[in-house]
Amino acid sequence: MLRAADIKKNFGDLKVLDGISLEISRGEVVALIGPSGSGKSTFLRCMNHLETVDSGEIWLEKDCMCRMTDGRVRYSSEAELRRINMRMGMVFQNFNLFPHMTVMQNLIEAPMRVKRESRAAAMERAKEMLASVGLADRGGQYPYQLSGGQAQRVAIARALCMQPEIMCFDEPTSALDPELTHEVLAVMRDLAEKNMTMVVVTHEMGFARDVADRVVFMSDGVIVEQGTPEQVFSSSNPRTMKFLQMD
């Protein structure tokens, strides 16, 4: 469903991604793990066109985000990129909710503005999505009135309101207190059970072990190894073993 080929990305003289290639199948849950600074979040942001790549190709099924032509990376038109991006949902570390809008307003804004849905249709789906994350009674509240776990569940509901085909999570529990983490992970487990295609950058090794179909271990901008959770968590690779022991 999602294919990245030989992705390279530098920030100045810092090489962040050094030839990452990864394919993700429809309905698959892929966990990206690795030490801080290994390039996991940058790779995810490149998949969502929040960052541009220096070279490589990205495809969402038959839709091309970027490809190599005459030795240079070429992105598709802005209209095509918007169409591709609408097929992908993104949940960030720090919620990124609009503070001046109620929960319900946060959820209906993008469907109405970007997809040109009617207010009634957007409201109906928003109520359904809030109920699915256990927050059916919070639509009239503002983000500051929510706990961190509730705010992140609203962020997930907001992404789902756009009816994405693939959900990307960038360390969605890293800003939460431990006791609130389980609220968010429970919603993500439920999405996995519903066969939502998911790419999850996470330090939650329990989630990666129990929920992911595949675990990808990154370090220093490259994929060190990947496989089933059983394969990666019992790896004999020295770099992987060192990371898992530290974690």
Side-chain angles (χ1 to χ4, degrees), residues 7-11 16-17 41-54 58 65-66 75 81 85 90:
I7 299 299
K8 296 182 180 179
K9 174 68 177 178
N10 293 351
F11 289 118
V16 181
L17 300 176
S41 293
T42 299
F43 176 69
L44 199 64
R45 291 176 65 86
C46 288
M47 295 302 98
N48 281 272
H49 195 222
L50 297 172
E51 298 283 356
T52 56
V53 303
D54 295 327
I58 302 171
M65 182 178 291
C66 62
Y75 274 86
L81 289 172
N85 288 339
M90 182 76 175

Side-chain angles (χ1 to χ4, degrees), residues 92-97 103 130 133-135 137-138 141-156 172-173 175-184 187:
F92 302 89
Q93 297 180 29
N94 295 313
F95 325 140
N96 286 11
L97 300 176
V103 166
L130 277 181
V133 299
L135 296 171
D137 60 340
R138 302 286 180 168
Q141 293 189 318
Y142 286 86
Y144 75 88
Q145 296 174 302
L146 306 174
S147 70
Q150 290 170 338
Q152 191 60 292
R153 283 186 283 157
V154 168
I156 294 173
T173 60
L176 302 178
D177 294 332
E179 62 267 24
L180 300 177
T181 294
H182 75 278
E183 299 177 2
V184 175
V187 171

Side-chain angles (χ1 to χ4, degrees), residues 1-5 7 42-53 56-69 72-89 166 168:
M1 181 181 185
L2 180 65
R3 179 170 65 89
I7 299 299
T42 299
F43 176 69
L44 199 64
R45 291 176 65 86
C46 288
M47 295 302 98
N48 281 272
H49 195 222
L50 297 172
E51 298 283 356
T52 56
V53 303
E57 300 194 351
I58 302 171
W59 294 77
L60 184 57
E61 294 182 320
K62 294 181 180 180
D63 293 337
C64 177
M65 182 178 291
C66 62
R67 72 177 82 188
M68 297 302 294
T69 305
R72 296 178 58 189
V73 63
R74 305 281 187 179
Y75 274 86
S76 295
S77 67
E78 286 299 319
E80 180 68 7
L81 289 172
R82 282 195 298 271
R83 192 174 68 82
I84 295 171
N85 288 339
M86 281 199 292
R87 299 178 62 189
M88 304 175 71
I166 181 169
C168 301

Side-chain angles (χ1 to χ4, degrees), residues 104-115:
M104 185 60 68
Q105 290 169 334
N106 266 278
L107 267 60
I108 67 175
E109 180 74 5
M112 290 174 59
R113 284 185 177 270
V114 179
K115 299 182 77 173

Side-chain angles (χ1 to χ4, degrees), residues 16-36:
V16 181
L17 300 176
D18 190 15
I20 298 288
S21 295
L22 186 67
E23 294 187 4
I24 296 164
S25 301
R26 185 175 289 274
E28 189 177 22
V29 178
V30 176
L32 303 181
I33 65 172
S36 297

Side-chain angles (χ1 to χ4, degrees), residues 15 25 38 55 65 71 87 129 148 154-155 200 204 217 230 243:
K15 185 176 292 184
S25 301
S38 60
S55 66
M65 182 178 291
R87 299 178 62 189
M129 292 302 101
V154 168
V200 185
E204 297 290 338
F217 173 63
E230 293 78 12
F243 169 74

